[in-house]
Amino acid sequence: MSKQLPDVQASEPDVSVGLSQVGVTDVEKLVKLAREDKRPIVLMAEFEVFVDLPQGRKGIDMSRNMEVIDETLEDAVAEPVFRVEEMCGDVAERLLEKHDYTTTATVEMEAELMLNEETPASGRKTQGTADIIASATAREDAPTREEIGARVVGMTVCPCSQRMMEGHARAELRDLGVGEEEVREFLQEVPQAGHSQRGHATLTVEATGDPNVDLGDVIDLARDSMSARIYNMAKRPDEDHMTYAAHANAKFVEDCVRSMADGVVETFDHLPDDAIVTMKQSNDESIHQHNAHAERVAEFGALREEVNGQ
């Protein structure tokens, strides 16, 4: 006769306080990202899975959480998925079904995506990376909301320091007897030095259903919001190209977020008004010990009105 083990998790806690998120983190799984007419991309993905916990229950069924994760993600490995955020939604909905004491389940996923690309000047084959960000939240009383996005690295140049260097250059050229018209033309053609930063751009879109957001478009928008793209492998012509491009497109950290906003409104004009757009930019400063950060979280309808000046 088997011994009945006590269900400690279902007992009353010492302090009756509900918890918004309880679960597991750092769960690694292989996920296949499907592509039209191409072999799927295999991702080493890291998951975080949470449910809410009512005040009268001591703990969650941790083994049940892992069972649901394993079941759903093993299915995803066997059958490639086109939308990783939809897979997160499937896991969240299963969690909600299996835990009769919860009202909300959240699944978050991150994975590194390898990008095949060419260097901008020499045309050499190289590889870059972008971090895929996906999540979903399932609730008892509302449709499941899914989020897809990316975090990428680029280069920015400070417009303020560049403007000061332009002032120095203008003064030196005048002292050398160069005419004002020639000075103006020179500074238009040759961007002056400014202190540069490595930038980290994050862009995600959250909505119900399938908002038809292409991950490749998200990555491109985030990369192009900064002063210039960067590449892992670069010959001297590529280094010259990136340096010139960045200094010809100097941007504050705030400008990068606004560039993302403009790109989202133009590229994803089909999004529903209640879609949530998250845009973040963090710059690793080169001449300061601190770093710079800016972000905006907004419903798409409100963001569109701002960008279009309505």
Side-chain angles (χ1 to χ4, degrees):
M1 182 176 179
S2 62
K3 182 180 179 181
Q4 184 70 32
L5 297 176
D7 188 359
V8 180
Q9 289 93 336
S11 64
E12 288 278 343
D14 296 333
V15 180
S16 294
V17 173
L19 304 178
S20 55
Q21 284 192 331
V22 181
V24 294
T25 64
D26 302 324
V27 179
E28 293 185 340
K29 290 289 181 180
L30 289 178
V31 175
K32 293 180 181 177
L33 182 60
R35 298 181 294 171
E36 291 286 353
D37 302 322
K38 293 182 179 180
R39 289 185 301 175
I41 298 172
V42 179
L43 303 171
M44 174 58 81
E46 189 171 287
F47 289 85
E48 297 186 349
V49 180
F50 306 106
V51 296
D52 65 328
L53 189 67
Q55 66 181 73
R57 187 178 176 92
K58 191 175 184 66
I60 67 170
D61 295 318
M62 198 69 73
S63 61
R64 184 176 297 176
N65 276 20
M66 290 306 302
E67 179 185 1
V68 174
I69 295 169
D70 281 338
E71 286 177 357
T72 307
L73 296 186
E74 289 302 325
D75 288 344
V77 172
E79 298 292 334
V81 295
F82 284 95
R83 297 175 55 236
V84 287
E85 67 273 27
E86 184 179 33
M87 180 190 62
C88 291
D90 184 26
V91 179
E93 290 169 359
R94 290 197 191 191
L95 274 171
L96 209 57
E97 291 174 1
K98 286 185 174 287
H99 293 77
D100 55 8
Y101 52 82
T102 63
T103 60
T104 304
T106 301
V107 177
E108 301 173 357
M109 187 207 89
E110 287 199 15
E112 188 175 68
L113 176 67
M114 299 302 298
L115 306 172
N116 293 313
E117 51 193 6
E118 291 185 354
T119 55
S122 64
R124 301 294 185 93
K125 299 289 185 182
T126 186
Q127 291 184 339
T129 58
D131 293 329
I132 300 175
I133 302 169
S135 69
T137 299
R139 292 184 173 87
E140 281 188 341
D141 56 353
T144 298
R145 293 187 68 86
E146 298 170 352
E147 180 185 43
I148 185 64
R151 182 170 53 248
V152 301
V153 178
M155 178 180 177
T156 61
V157 172
C158 175
C160 185
S161 65
Q162 187 181 61
R163 187 65 59 86
M164 289 187 288
M165 293 303 293
E166 285 181 359
H168 288 304
R170 180 174 284 106
E172 290 294 331
L173 289 169
R174 286 171 177 167
D175 289 344
L176 292 171
V178 180
E180 186 62 34
E181 182 64 23
E182 288 78 8
V183 170
R184 185 182 62 81
E185 291 179 1
F186 173 79
L187 293 177
Q188 283 182 339
E189 293 296 323
V190 183
Q192 297 302 292
H195 78 82
S196 61
Q197 309 111 340
R198 175 169 291 185
H200 308 268
T202 302
L203 173 60
T204 67
V205 177
E206 176 193 317
T208 57
D210 180 4
N212 191 25
V213 173
D214 183 83
L215 181 59
D217 290 339
V218 172
I219 292 172
D220 286 339
L221 280 175
R223 293 182 77 184
D224 291 336
S225 68
M226 292 175 274
S227 294
R229 295 189 177 196
I230 60 174
Y231 299 82
N232 276 338
M233 198 278 288
K235 303 293 286 182
R236 281 186 293 178
D238 302 308
E239 293 177 354
D240 177 67
H241 180 280
M242 285 184 280
T243 303
Y244 185 93
H247 284 78
N249 188 31
K251 288 183 175 181
F252 290 122
V253 65
E254 300 93 335
D255 296 324
C256 297
V257 173
R258 289 172 173 137
S259 292
M260 272 189 273
D262 188 49
V264 166
V265 169
E266 180 180 356
T267 304
F268 302 129
D269 59 347
H270 59 278
L271 286 176
D273 285 350
D274 65 348
I276 304 296
V277 182
T278 299
M279 301 158 288
K280 299 179 182 181
Q281 180 71 28
S282 296
N283 290 344
D284 300 335
E285 291 283 0
S286 58
I287 63 171
H288 305 293
Q289 291 185 335
H290 61 262
N291 294 323
H293 181 85
E295 65 178 79
R296 174 69 189 278
V297 180
E299 288 191 343
F300 180 74
L303 191 66
R304 180 177 53 209
E305 289 183 1
E306 285 188 53
V307 170
N308 294 335
Q310 298 178 1

